[in-house]
């Protein structure tokens, strides 16, 4: 089968299209004929060598997939051959979605929403689940909450804005001025250009006394700079690796909670998200759909920043 394989860590050029052996499902696993795979920041981080203590070469990437079940391993009785599924693979344990076939534990798979294409379904498992964990499970979002999403035009950000809208919250986000229409269409009540000299002053004004939830999707010193914008008892949630110490003193003024999120796969969560997608309440915004052999280009696009949705790779295996 065709797959993207890297023999070393480094720039996107280490990603190579190779022919490798087709995997077989083990006990409790299924073999999925992959139709599309989402491209995520963690793929870039792994390729750079950020997780070299856990990943050794040669290695494969891809943790967000959709496709059709082709074979069942021993003990699998909740799926059938031919079922359309989507899922997030075990991060740093079972990556390899940039390939024509992939095996994973059946307990982590969910049925693909019929309303979504395979490309749209592949754009959801990591991004939508992360947004859900951050706002619903950790942020405990409620109707009337004031929510700030830092970096609202990326894959996770756009799902976060939709979830905020569904929850009846008021959402403020940062994005480029070019993406203002996109974030507004996905649920932002206010969009602020992060490149503006007075962006943080504008955010303070938009907080109207404090945000109940701040979701950091950009990193850097965002936690330190955002804490003073919280309401009393507010929740600060970040998914970005923080390798530089930040001053958290402002958090004490608000009795703040700080949550650092690393997503764990959950079929139950995906099933809930699938139901929302079937009702048209949650949609995937795809910026680009590229063939498998363009994986390096997909990585370069993400590293360039300024994204306006998800990037997915397609396997061109006669699936629609």
């Amino acid at each position: 089968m065709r797959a993207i394989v890297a023999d070393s860590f480094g720039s996107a050029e280490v990603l190579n299209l190779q022919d490798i052996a087709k995997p077989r499902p083990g006990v409790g696993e299924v073999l999925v004929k992959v139709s599309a795979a989402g491209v995520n920041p963690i793929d870039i981080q792994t390729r750079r060598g950020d997780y070299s203590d856990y990943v050794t070469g040669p290695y494969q990437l891809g943790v967000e997939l959709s496709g059709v079940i082709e074979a069942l391993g021993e003990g699998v009785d909740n799926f059938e051959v031919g079922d359309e599924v989507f899922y997030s693979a075990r991060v740093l344990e079972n990556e390899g979605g940039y390939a024509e076939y992939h095996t994973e534990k059946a307990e982590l798979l969910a049925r693909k929403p019929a309303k979504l294409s395979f490309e749209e379904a592949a754009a959801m498992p990591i991004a939508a689940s992360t947004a859900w964990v951050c706002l619903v499970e950790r942020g405990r979002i409620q109707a009337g909450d004031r929510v700030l999403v830092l970096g609202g035009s990326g894959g996770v950000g756009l799902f976060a804005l939709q979830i905020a809208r569904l929850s009846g919250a008021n959402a403020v986000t940062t994005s480029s001025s070019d993406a203002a229409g996109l974030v507004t269409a996905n649920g932002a009540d206010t969009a602020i250009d992060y490149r503006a000299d007075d962006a943080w002053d504008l955010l303070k004004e938009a907080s109207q006394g404090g945000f109940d939830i701040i979701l950091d999707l950009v990193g850097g010193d965002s936690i330190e700079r955002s804490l003073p914008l919280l309401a009393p008892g507010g929740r600060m949630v970040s998914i970005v690796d923080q390798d530089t110490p930040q001053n958290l003193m402002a958090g004490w003024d608000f009795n703040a909670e700080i949550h650092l999120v690393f997503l764990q796969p959950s079929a139950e969560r995906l099933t809930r998200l699938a139901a929302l997608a079937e009702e048209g309440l949650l949609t995937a915004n795809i910026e680009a759909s590229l063939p498998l052999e363009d994986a390096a280009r997909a990585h370069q696009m993400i590293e360039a920043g300024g994204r306006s949705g998800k990037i997915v790779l397609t396997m061109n295996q006669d699936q629609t």
Side-chain angles (χ1 to χ4, degrees), residues 234-248:
R235 283 81 70 196
M236 176 79 220
V237 187
S238 179
I239 68 168
V240 186
D241 290 348
Q242 304 292 337
D243 57 0
T244 301
Q246 298 188 49
N247 188 335
L248 307 181

Side-chain angles (χ1 to χ4, degrees), residues 114-291:
K115 190 169 186 175
L116 299 186
S117 67
F118 282 100
E119 288 84 356
E120 290 169 328
M124 287 189 65
I126 293 288
S129 295
T130 298
W132 183 271
V133 169
C134 289
L135 292 184
V136 178
E137 298 179 17
R138 297 293 188 90
R140 306 188 300 281
I141 193 170
Q142 298 180 26
D145 277 352
R146 295 194 61 76
V147 177
L148 170 60
V149 179
L150 296 171
S153 64
V156 175
L158 292 171
F159 280 119
L161 292 173
Q162 292 179 57
I163 291 169
R165 178 171 57 191
L166 287 172
S167 302
N170 180 280
V172 176
T173 192
T174 59
S175 69
S176 68
S177 56
D178 294 338
L182 176 65
V183 296
T184 300
N186 278 269
D189 297 285
T190 303
I192 293 173
D193 188 344
Y194 72 91
R195 295 173 295 191
D197 293 337
D198 60 347
W200 287 98
D201 293 330
L202 293 172
L203 287 174
K204 183 176 181 180
E205 181 180 345
S207 73
Q208 296 184 12
F211 292 106
D212 299 288
I213 306 170
I214 298 177
L215 174 55
D216 166 37
L217 305 175
V218 299
D221 61 355
S222 294
I223 292 179
E224 181 176 337
R225 300 192 71 174
S226 299
L227 283 172
L229 303 180
L230 280 174
R235 283 81 70 196
M236 176 79 220
V237 187
S238 179
I239 68 168
V240 186
D241 290 348
Q242 304 292 337
D243 57 0
T244 301
Q246 298 188 49
N247 188 335
L248 307 181
M249 288 298 294
W252 270 267
D253 293 337
F254 305 101
N255 230 1
E257 297 178 22
I258 299 177
H259 298 262
L260 306 178
V261 173
F262 188 87
L263 182 69
Q264 299 296 326
S266 166
E268 179 181 358
R269 187 186 301 120
L270 279 181
T271 299
R272 184 176 300 179
L273 293 169
L276 293 174
E278 287 284 19
E279 295 178 27
L281 299 176
L282 204 61
T283 60
N285 292 268
I286 297 179
E287 177 183 356
S289 180
L290 304 175

